């Protein structure tokens, strides 16, 4: 419990492609990928429950071994059209049938193994202290959106959304820009239940994360980078 709020950490570990059924338990830095999301959560005394949602029996076994409770996601839910919100609503309904209710959900995808415990705690604190509907982790935008143009048929180009900031020097822009990195989402349970398409529909607070810790494992190159970063981190912790 955190400041009187019951907190659920939910890890979505379902796959939409048959050949990627075990993607969340592939070995990374001597541990299954999902371990790197479960492990820091076990250190958070604020959490009331850690749950993995999956349709995969191997992921179920490994997540349980490392200390998470597991909810079986129906295979009919694990499709290309499966929205994150659908998995959240399924998990909340399942837990409520067991008599478990929560005020806040931390939604943490296992493909972000470099996020740190401090990132999770700060994103959660931002949600409660600023009273947003949802907070999400961001990193610096790769490109300035004010430099984006829409290209039409016939070779015509127009400013994206009539963006007049294109004509203003960068140092005079009234905003800074970030992009969602998908590592951390925190939101109020009742708000999520009322959402239709996404838990980003209401007011959103931005927690800025370090670019390195924002890595999402999507390719073999990402895996190699993440593995080296995790092994280096482990060595530093062992020698400190």
């Amino acid at each position: 419990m955190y400041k009187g709020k019951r907190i659920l950490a939910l890890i979505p570990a379902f796959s939409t492609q048959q050949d990627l059924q075990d993607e969340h338990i592939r070995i990374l830095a001597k541990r299954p990928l999902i371990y790197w999301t479960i492990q820091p959560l076990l250190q958070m005394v604020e959490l009331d429950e850690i749950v993995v949602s999956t349709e995969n029996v191997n992921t179920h076994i490994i997540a349980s071994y490392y200390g998470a409770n597991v909810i079986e996601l129906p295979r009919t839910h694990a499709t290309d059209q499966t929205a994150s919100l659908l998995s959240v609503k399924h998990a909340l309904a399942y837990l409520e049938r067991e008599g478990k209710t929560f005020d806040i959900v931390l939604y943490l995808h296992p493909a972000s193994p470099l996020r740190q415990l401090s990132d999770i705690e700060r994103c959660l604190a931002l949600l409660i202290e600023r009273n947003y509907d949802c907070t999400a982790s961001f990193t610096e935008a790769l490109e300035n959106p004010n430099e984006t143009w829409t290209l039409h048929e016939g070779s015509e180009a127009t400013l994206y959304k009539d963006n007049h900031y294109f004509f203003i020097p960068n140092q005079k822009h009234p905003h800074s820009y970030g992009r969602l990195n998908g590592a951390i989402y925190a939101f109020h349970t009742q708000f999520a239940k009322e959402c239709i398409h996404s838990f980003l529909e209401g007011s959103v607070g931005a927690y800025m994360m370090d670019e390195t810790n924002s890595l999402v494992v999507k390719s073999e190159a990402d895996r190699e980078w993440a593995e080296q970063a995790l092994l280096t981190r482990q060595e530093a912790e062992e020698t400190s």
Side-chain angles (χ1 to χ4, degrees), residues 23 34 91 93 97 113 122 124 133 163 178 198 200 211 216 237:
E23 62 180 313
I34 200 169
R97 289 194 294 271
R122 289 167 184 166
L124 173 61
D133 293 319
N163 195 340
S198 165
L200 296 172
E211 184 176 357
V216 178
E237 291 173 352

Side-chain angles (χ1 to χ4, degrees), residues 16-82:
T16 60
Q17 300 178 41
Q18 190 64 36
D19 59 343
L20 295 177
Q21 288 293 302
D22 292 334
E23 62 180 313
H24 303 302
I25 54 176
R26 284 186 63 189
I27 298 302
L28 179 74
K30 304 178 183 180
R31 297 285 192 277
L33 175 61
I34 200 169
Y35 165 87
W36 299 106
T37 294
I38 296 173
Q39 188 271 336
L41 296 176
L42 297 174
Q43 303 174 45
M44 282 189 69
V45 296
E46 299 93 341
L47 292 181
D48 293 277
E49 189 153 359
I50 303 168
V51 168
V52 170
S53 174
T54 184
E55 86 296 1
N56 182 275
V57 63
N58 294 327
T59 301
H60 185 142
I61 293 169
I62 289 175
S64 297
Y65 174 80
Y66 282 113
N69 296 324
V70 181
I71 291 176
E72 182 178 352
L73 185 73
R75 289 190 178 276
T76 53
H77 285 37
T79 68
D80 289 333
Q81 287 74 41
T82 299

